[in-house]
Amino acid sequence: MNPAAADPASKPLRADARRNRARVLQAAENVFAAKGTGAPTEEVARVAGVGIGTVFRHFPTKEALLEAVLFARLRRFVDEAEAAVAAESADPGAAFFAFLTSWVEMSSAKNAYFEALTAAGVTVPVAKSDTGARLMSALGVLLSRAQEAGAVRGDLAVGELVPVIIGVARAAEYAGPDAPLRDRAVAILFDGLRPSAGNRS
């Protein structure tokens, strides 16, 4: 599926329609966060304070709504990544690991949307979307800066980092509500990204 097709925000809308769409998206995100992606669309309409017809005018199917919420979350995350790049932290290593931690925290929610969409037979090619390209670009800058500062091993490439992040996110998900265990697991796995005597170059 073309990500743009799932994003009605890319089409011109009247001001009231834009407000309604934004309210529905925010309500959907809140409802799905509280009750899971299986929560009914009627609940989203109730929380948004609109009729179910308004929801379906913007999002013809439950899957379209899930995908729109997913991309809204991802766009916010990418905005945060680009803000971290623009900030040019005096501690590139801390900025890099803070970004990875945010990614891990965001991933459990993202995975729930992907799983719901996959179960419905919807493919979401995020990595090939503009959002995915922006994310990889920001990640590359943060990684390079951290490597130049000596905070991250020098033999690590962006393409190798992504599966590592996914693995760390899955480990954090496995730890579930046990916050100390989750934080400890993430810290141990992140240690593998730091320089050692044999991987500083």
Side-chain angles (χ1 to χ4, degrees):
M1 178 179 293
N2 180 353
D7 185 3
S10 62
K11 302 174 183 178
L13 294 173
R14 298 189 319 272
D16 59 335
R18 286 197 302 272
R19 285 193 296 270
N20 282 340
R21 182 180 185 279
R23 287 168 64 188
V24 170
L25 269 179
Q26 185 59 60
E29 187 165 346
N30 293 342
V31 169
F32 295 149
K35 300 186 177 181
T37 55
T41 309
E42 289 79 6
E43 176 71 3
V44 172
R46 185 189 67 76
V47 172
V50 300
I52 190 65
T54 297
V55 175
F56 285 122
R57 269 197 300 277
H58 292 287
F59 309 101
T61 64
K62 171 74 172 295
E63 291 72 32
L65 179 57
L66 285 168
E67 191 170 349
V69 173
L70 169 63
F71 272 92
R73 291 181 70 99
L74 289 172
R75 279 193 297 272
R76 284 203 308 274
F77 181 64
V78 172
D79 288 343
E80 291 171 11
E82 292 176 339
V85 168
E88 297 190 25
S89 171
D91 187 343
F96 174 75
F97 284 108
F99 173 66
L100 294 196
T101 300
S102 295
W103 192 331
V104 169
E105 291 171 352
M106 183 269 297
S107 285
S108 59
K110 177 177 66 64
N111 289 341
Y113 287 105
F114 271 114
E115 288 165 6
L117 289 164
T118 299
V122 178
T123 301
V124 187
V126 172
K128 297 181 180 179
S129 70
D130 176 65
T131 301
R134 288 171 57 204
L135 175 58
M136 294 301 292
S137 176
L139 178 59
V141 174
L142 293 172
L143 173 61
S144 295
R145 289 176 181 171
Q147 288 173 321
E148 289 169 7
V152 174
R153 54 190 297 165
D155 62 345
L156 184 66
V158 172
E160 297 168 330
L161 182 58
V162 171
V164 170
I165 296 171
I166 293 171
V168 175
R170 286 296 187 184
E173 246 185 292
Y174 179 80
D178 188 337
L181 174 60
R182 185 172 63 250
D183 292 346
R184 177 68 175 154
V186 170
I188 290 170
L189 291 166
F190 278 178
D191 277 348
L193 303 179
R194 302 181 195 277
S196 65
N199 61 30
R200 293 182 183 276
S201 61

